[in-house]
Structure formats: C-alpha cells, structure tokens
Amino acid sequence: MLLLAVIAFAGWSANKTATDSERTLVENALNQAVGSVLDGQKSVAWWDEAVINTADGALNLEFADAEFGLFLGETYGHDELYILDGQDRPIYAYKSGARADHAAYESRRAAISLVVGEARRGITDSSLKARPDEFGRAQTNYRVLAGVLQTARWAGHIVSIDGMPSVVAAITIVPNVDMTLLKDTPKLLVSVVRIDDPFVEKIARSLLLPDLKLAPEPVSSAGVVSEPFVGDDGIQAGYLSWTTRRPGQVLLTSILPLVACGVFATGVLSNHMFGRLKRASDELTQREARARHASKHDALSGLPNRQHMVDEVEAKIGTPGFGQGGERAIAAYVDIDRFKDINDTLGHETGDKLIKAVSKRLTARLRAHDFLARFGGDEFAILCVSADADAESRLAARIASAFEEPFAIGGQTIRVTASVGMARAPEHGLSADELMRHADIALYEAKNQGRDRAMTFSEEMAKQVETRRAIEVDLRTAIEREELRLNYQPIVSCRTGAIVGAEALLRWRHPIRGEISPATFIPIAEISGLMPALGTWMLEQVFKDAKQWPDLEVALNLSPVQFKQTDLKAVLSTLIAENGVAPNRFVLEITEGVLLEATDLTKSVLQGLQDMGFRTALDDFGTGYSSLAYLCNFKFDKIKIDRSFVTNVSNAMTSRTIVQSVAALGRGLGMQIVAEGVETEYEAVMMSHFGCTELQGFFFSKPLSAAQLTALLAKFEPRHMSPFSELEPIESRRSATA
C-alpha cells in the first residue's frame, strides 16, 4: 500500500509539473511568434531603398507591392500590411494577396492604434499586457547595424481583430547604411498575422504537442488541458487545448506492471524512453538548424542575405593583419538594369524567375570561394578576396559574362544588363559598413554614367556624394523658405512673330555657390524625395503668375518623379479651381524619360491630364532614343525639337534633314513644332522655313521674371521672319554663325 501511495503521489506531482511546463512553453512560443513577425518586417523595413521608395509624396507603388506586399505575404505569411506616414495616416495597404484601398486600414485603426502608439513612443501602453521583447533581444549582437538600432522603434502584441486573435506588429522604416536618408518622422510598417489553425499547428509542431488547438469553448476530456486564451488587449479569444504528456500517468500505468515484470521490463521501457528522447532531440536540432539557415538566407534565390553578407565581410576584413600580405577584399554591388520594366511588363512571377536565373548564372561564373548574396529586389552583392592586382577587372569580367547571353524565362527570351559598383579593402574601408557604403556609391555612379558598366569607388565619387548631400540639405531649406524662383522665356509664333506663350523655368541662386543649374539640383531633388514638394510649389506659382497674361500659353516641365505622383491630378484640379484659370492655357512638357518606362499607368495618367483639358508636349525630341513609336502611341499637342539640332542647322546637313523630317511628321499628325535654343536670326528663319510653328531662345529674349515678362509684352513688337531669300548668301551667313 505504501508503494502504491508513493507512486500515486509521484504521478500527481509529475502531472502538475508537466502541465505548468507546457503552459510556459506555449507562452514562450507565442512570444517567439511575435518576434518572428517583427523579424520578417525588419528584413525589408531596415533598408535604404525602403526609405527612398516610401518618401513623402513619392511612394513607389510597384516597389511597395514587390518588397512589402508580395515578399512579406508570400515569404512570411503576413495577412495584411499597411504603411503609415509620419502622422500615422495610411499611404499603402496590402490585403488578401493584392494592393488594397487605404480605407482598409480605417477598419483596423481602433484595434491597431495601441500597438502603433507603442512603436512610435517606445513605451508599452498601459492598456496592453506587457510582452517580452524577443525580437529586441535578438538585435543586440549587431555591430554594423548599430546606427539602425539607435533610430528604429518596434512593437508587437496579440490583439483581437474582427473577433480573431492576431499578431499585430509595427516597425519603423529606417535606413541601414546611409543614415542621412532619414529626414523626417519615419514611416511605419504594420503587419497583421491571424492566429488561425495553420498558425497554431506550426506552434504545435515546434512544441511536440500535436493536438494543440484554439477553440471557442473549453474541452472537457480526461488528460486534456484547456486554458483561456486572452490577448494583450484583455479580450478572450477562446481556449487553447492540448493533451498533456502526463508523465505521472505513465508512472501509474507502466511502473506497476514493471514491478511485477521485473528488471527486464524496466530495461525495455528505459530503452524506449531514451529512443524517444533522442528522436525528439534530433528533430529539435534539425529545426534549429533550418531556422538558423532561414535567418541568413534569401527565401527566393536561396543565396545568403544582407546580414549574412555583412557578417562575412566583417569576418574577412576584421582579421588582425588583414591586407599586410597583399590580399584585398573586394565588395561588389550588382544591380540588374531596368528590372522594374520587366516586373511591370511581364509580371512579378517572371521577375522572380529572372532573379533565380541570375543567381544561378552568377554562381556558375564566380570562383568557388567567392561569396554571393542577394540583398533584395534586383540587387546582389559579391565578396571576393584575392591578392591579384587585376582582381577587380577580372571580377567585373566574370559578372559581365553572366549577362552576355539572354535568359530563357517562361518560353520567352529576356536580355538584360547589369551595373556594378566595387570597393576595395583596406584602401576603401576597414569595416563592413564603410566598404559596402563605398561600393553603393560606386554603383550609383555606374548607373549615373549610363548603366551596363562596372565602376570602382574613388575619393572623387565620395566628394561628389558629399556635394550632392550638401546641395540636398540646402535645397530642402530653400524650398521651406521659398528661396527658389521662376523665370519665363517667351515663345514666338513663326506665322505672326508675336509672343504667344512662355515656358516656366526653375532657378536657384545659392547664397554661397551662386546660380545652380537645374540640371544639377533637379536630379538631386528627385533622388532625395524633394521633387513632389518642389513640383507642387512650381505648379502653384505658375498658376498664380499665369493670371497676369490671359492671352498666353504657359508651358512647364513635369519630371518623371512628379509624373508618378498619385495625387498629381488632384493637385492640378485644386489649382484650377483656386486660381480660376482654364487648363487649356497650360502645356505640360514631358521628357522621354517618362516614356522609356511607359506602363499602362503612364498612358492612363497622360490621358487623364489631356481629358482635364491640359495640353501636352514631348520635350527635347531628338535626344535619347527619340522613338517614333512615342508619336504613334501617345497623343501630344506639341513636339519640342532639342536645341542641339537648332545650333547645328547652320553647318550640318544631317541636322537640317532631321528637323525637316520631324517637323513634317509632327505637323502631319496635327502637332505644333517648337524649336528650342534659337540664338540667331539665321536659325530663326531656317526653323520657320523647315516647318516649325513656334520658336524659343535668346534671339527673342532670355528667361525673365514675371514682372519683366509683363513689361516685355507691353513693348514687344512682332518679329516677322525675313523671307529665306533675303538671307543670301547662305554660305556667308553660315560662316558668320559657325
């Protein structure tokens, strides 16, 4: 009897211990699940490209779909995603596998707001139950990302969404390399992951509790534990139930027969238990290994990811005495040129297949000990360690060879090129942060030089970057203080010689650098996300000034970034109403850069502007590709012939032929032809003779302030173009103007 009592007590005690232990394991698994959601967000939120492509007024929807929606939805199973601006207003939503309307967030705001507030302040709201920060503890080992950790904020909780418990996680979108990109309050990435049956099953497998379930009612059955499942918001969302492993019951049902069966049966049971423990241990080890691999590898390509690359660079160049034996570490960034066009025209599935094909091709071309990683999107990184003096050129040649042959994707042939930026340690940096930042600068320069080339970092590039950053800072201040100005250059009719319009030209006089060319500061404004604010200011000023000249057309240029603004038509509609001007008085000039990346959205926006009544012009025709398809596929009111052809018309027969052909084609399609850069009477008459309808240039007037243009209109006398014969002899004229 005493033996039975001891065994019974031991069984009860073991059962209680097992149940308490299982409760703790389940709670820890839920904490880790919250951390895992944040970890998935971090992979795209802590990234320079993410900051650039979500800048105020310049949200890149294609980037958001690919890198936030598809990536987090497909790879990490996030059910809903939202991007909030600095005032926590939704600017992007992704739900049910597709981009959604911003209003989708409003139905979630009440449930999510406490988590959003915690992520902004870094302090847990008293209305939410405090939850261990598993994600935060995992970030403490970073060295290169120390700058990120100083600025980033995050929060994760389990709350009720539409009556279903869900993991809600919020994390700030911040740069991981170039901290100067963070100018304002960071955007916030919010994810919702439903705690549904697949979610619970995943936890059950990790805990070896195969029948762990979440049900609305408790389960009343022998050996089954049912615990109320209460979210961090205090709302009960059902019961978690599972069959306890009940080691006490094993004692009662196994040891009593073993007492009768003797030592042999005890040995058999022990052997079985040890086998089971070993299998469980092996399974946990394998899962841990898979988790470690997943945390350091890209899900799509299978290559090492950004963090793995950073660790590898640190391990190589952080070795004491590195470089003393002549070895060099080369970090190379590889970016597929115009990858966005492939995604837009052929679809994301084709883009993903191309990424995989490029991964295999690069792996085959590189040496066995070279390290290849994928940083996300269309960007790869390579680490090459060599003592060869020509290592950079050899690496560049190997990369180029990977793109020599076209790629066969889904039954079609795709030919792509790549831009490469390289930096070398120890000359260009002795830390992963410095070396990779310099490689990124070199990649930017390769793209800026026309793509499809490899460039190595130099101090001159660094100086240019510093200059661009200084100009960017000063430009931001100039916009805030309204220190920029608009000048207007008259446009003259070839038929009447009168001023019929004017082009608005943006000007900036820097207090130290003097006049800075728009060719310098406009690209900086586009890259830094300042173009939407600058473009809107320019539109507002043009509409106000145009009221002074009711008989003139006013032309102004829309940059490619400005053209992609989601609120462009809304801004124009508001300005029309506020200023009481007719939209057909304005000519919106569009450069070839917009049409090079033409999509259905491009056509829709262009048609929308024309439907509003605005006139449109194709600017700088004759430069770049100047495809005649543009004139067929897009209906423009005007074509502007680039000044380089006007300047060469006096001494180049080719220029004359091109001008005549474009003028004849344009007029045949019902378009007006404007010649830019007319500086002499000879050029004015020749352009008129060749079929141009309007002229613009210093021959008539330099760009003027609004007040100066008003004064010129009051006294300007029409310049009737002299007959072509009165300019003879042409050869003597040509000699004088050459």
Side-chain angles (χ1 to χ4, degrees), residues 189-208:
L189 174 61
V190 180
S191 291
V192 176
V193 180
R194 291 188 291 272
I195 301 180
D196 50 15
D197 289 343
F199 186 101
V200 176
E201 288 171 5
K202 186 176 179 180
I203 292 178
R205 288 194 300 271
S206 69
L207 298 179
L208 301 181

Side-chain angles (χ1 to χ4, degrees), residues 326-330 367 369-370 384-391 394:
E327 70 273 16
R328 295 291 182 267
I330 302 167
R367 300 174 305 171
H369 52 275
D370 291 337
C384 169
V385 178
S386 174
D388 187 347
D390 297 324
R394 295 182 188 277

Side-chain angles (χ1 to χ4, degrees), residues 370-389:
D370 291 337
F371 191 85
L372 173 64
R374 181 186 176 222
F375 275 17
D378 60 330
E379 191 171 77
F380 297 84
I382 300 168
L383 177 64
C384 169
V385 178
S386 174
D388 187 347

Side-chain angles (χ1 to χ4, degrees), residues 223-437:
V224 176
V225 178
S226 282
E227 293 288 327
F229 186 31
V230 181
D232 298 346
D233 53 0
I235 298 176
Q236 182 171 333
Y239 292 82
L240 278 174
S241 302
W242 70 90
T243 302
T244 182
R245 284 173 286 191
R246 297 175 62 84
Q249 187 65 30
V250 173
L251 289 172
L252 291 173
T253 58
S254 301
I255 293 182
L256 283 177
L258 289 177
V259 171
C261 295
V263 176
F264 176 76
T266 302
V268 172
L269 178 62
S270 298
N271 183 64
H272 173 73
M273 293 177 64
F274 280 125
R276 182 177 177 182
L277 287 172
K278 185 178 185 305
R279 287 193 298 273
S281 176
D282 290 344
E283 185 176 352
L284 289 173
T285 300
Q286 291 170 5
R287 287 179 180 172
E288 181 180 4
R290 288 195 295 269
R292 290 180 181 276
H293 183 273
S295 70
K296 287 196 170 188
H297 288 77
D298 171 57
L300 177 62
S301 65
L303 295 174
N305 60 15
R306 181 187 299 269
Q307 186 53 48
H308 198 170
M309 176 71 172
V310 170
D311 294 342
E312 189 73 14
V313 174
E314 285 286 5
K316 286 289 189 297
I317 67 178
T319 304
F322 174 79
Q324 294 179 2
E327 70 273 16
R328 295 291 182 267
I330 302 167
Y333 276 6
V334 182
D335 193 271
I336 302 174
D337 294 331
R338 304 194 186 284
F339 179 74
K340 179 179 176 296
D341 294 348
I342 296 172
N343 265 344
D344 290 343
T345 56
L346 302 179
H348 291 287
E349 183 179 356
T350 300
D352 288 348
K353 290 180 179 178
L354 178 60
I355 290 295
K356 292 179 181 179
V358 170
S359 302
K360 292 179 180 177
R361 190 84 66 83
L362 285 172
T363 301
R365 297 297 192 278
L366 296 175
R367 300 174 305 171
H369 52 275
D370 291 337
F371 191 85
L372 173 64
R374 181 186 176 222
F375 275 17
D378 60 330
E379 191 171 77
F380 297 84
I382 300 168
L383 177 64
C384 169
V385 178
S386 174
D388 187 347
D390 297 324
E392 288 157 75
S393 60
R394 295 182 188 277
L395 176 59
R398 285 194 290 271
I399 295 171
S401 69
F403 294 89
E404 287 177 351
E405 298 296 326
F407 293 86
I409 307 292
Q412 53 191 326
T413 299
I414 301 176
R415 184 177 293 277
V416 295
T417 59
S419 300
V420 183
M422 295 185 288
R424 182 178 61 252
E427 290 89 341
H428 300 150
L430 284 172
S431 70
D433 185 7
E434 190 176 17
L435 185 65
M436 296 168 73
R437 179 163 51 85

Side-chain angles (χ1 to χ4, degrees), residues 153-219:
R153 296 287 185 274
W154 58 85
H157 284 280
I158 295 176
V159 299
S160 182
I161 302 287
D162 292 340
M164 174 176 283
S166 304
V167 175
V168 175
I171 193 167
T172 48
I173 299 176
V174 293
N176 65 324
V177 176
D178 186 358
M179 294 302 162
T180 63
L181 291 173
L182 191 61
K183 307 295 192 308
D184 304 306
T185 304
K187 304 296 184 300
L188 203 65
L189 174 61
V190 180
S191 291
V192 176
V193 180
R194 291 188 291 272
I195 301 180
D196 50 15
D197 289 343
F199 186 101
V200 176
E201 288 171 5
K202 186 176 179 180
I203 292 178
R205 288 194 300 271
S206 69
L207 298 179
L208 301 181
L209 295 174
D211 62 345
L212 179 69
K213 301 291 182 184
L214 176 61
E217 300 295 335
V219 177

Side-chain angles (χ1 to χ4, degrees), residues 340-579:
K340 179 179 176 296
D341 294 348
I342 296 172
N343 265 344
D344 290 343
T345 56
L346 302 179
H348 291 287
E349 183 179 356
T350 300
D352 288 348
K353 290 180 179 178
L354 178 60
I355 290 295
K356 292 179 181 179
V358 170
S359 302
K360 292 179 180 177
R361 190 84 66 83
L362 285 172
T363 301
R365 297 297 192 278
L366 296 175
R367 300 174 305 171
H369 52 275
D370 291 337
F371 191 85
L372 173 64
R374 181 186 176 222
F375 275 17
D378 60 330
E379 191 171 77
F380 297 84
I382 300 168
L383 177 64
C384 169
V385 178
S386 174
D388 187 347
D390 297 324
E392 288 157 75
S393 60
R394 295 182 188 277
L395 176 59
R398 285 194 290 271
I399 295 171
S401 69
F403 294 89
E404 287 177 351
E405 298 296 326
F407 293 86
I409 307 292
Q412 53 191 326
T413 299
I414 301 176
R415 184 177 293 277
V416 295
T417 59
S419 300
V420 183
M422 295 185 288
R424 182 178 61 252
E427 290 89 341
H428 300 150
L430 284 172
S431 70
D433 185 7
E434 190 176 17
L435 185 65
M436 296 168 73
R437 179 163 51 85
H438 288 164
D440 197 30
I441 290 173
L443 175 62
Y444 175 87
E445 191 63 26
K447 291 181 180 180
N448 199 41
Q449 293 290 333
R451 300 184 174 91
D452 190 18
R453 66 197 63 221
M455 300 196 72
T456 301
F457 172 79
S458 68
E459 290 301 326
E460 183 61 29
M461 290 181 190
K463 291 177 183 178
Q464 291 174 1
V465 169
E466 291 303 319
T467 299
R468 284 195 296 266
R469 286 177 178 168
I471 291 176
E472 177 189 335
V473 171
D474 293 344
L475 179 58
R476 189 179 298 274
T477 301
I479 294 173
E480 293 171 352
R481 298 178 180 176
E482 297 189 357
E483 295 176 351
L484 289 93
R485 69 185 192 279
L486 287 181
N487 282 354
Y488 296 88
Q489 188 168 40
I491 299 173
V492 174
S493 168
C494 290
R495 184 176 61 85
T496 65
I499 296 176
V500 294
E503 181 180 3
L505 302 169
L506 192 59
R507 296 290 183 263
W508 179 26
R509 179 180 289 278
H510 191 279
I512 298 175
R513 302 176 190 271
E515 287 287 344
I516 299 181
S517 168
T520 298
F521 70 81
I522 290 295
I524 293 175
E526 291 178 332
I527 293 172
S528 62
L530 294 174
M531 198 62 226
L534 183 56
T536 299
W537 175 86
M538 186 176 177
L539 287 169
E540 292 172 348
Q541 195 63 43
V542 167
F543 275 67
K544 290 177 184 177
D545 290 344
K547 291 189 288 187
Q548 305 174 49
W549 319 302
D551 299 326
L552 294 188
E553 279 188 349
V554 181
L556 69 157
N557 194 284
L558 291 181
S559 79
V561 171
Q562 198 176 0
F563 190 79
K564 294 178 181 178
Q565 279 183 241
T566 55
D567 62 345
L568 177 60
K569 289 192 285 188
V571 170
L572 290 169
S573 297
T574 300
L575 291 174
I576 290 172
E578 289 179 349
N579 293 279

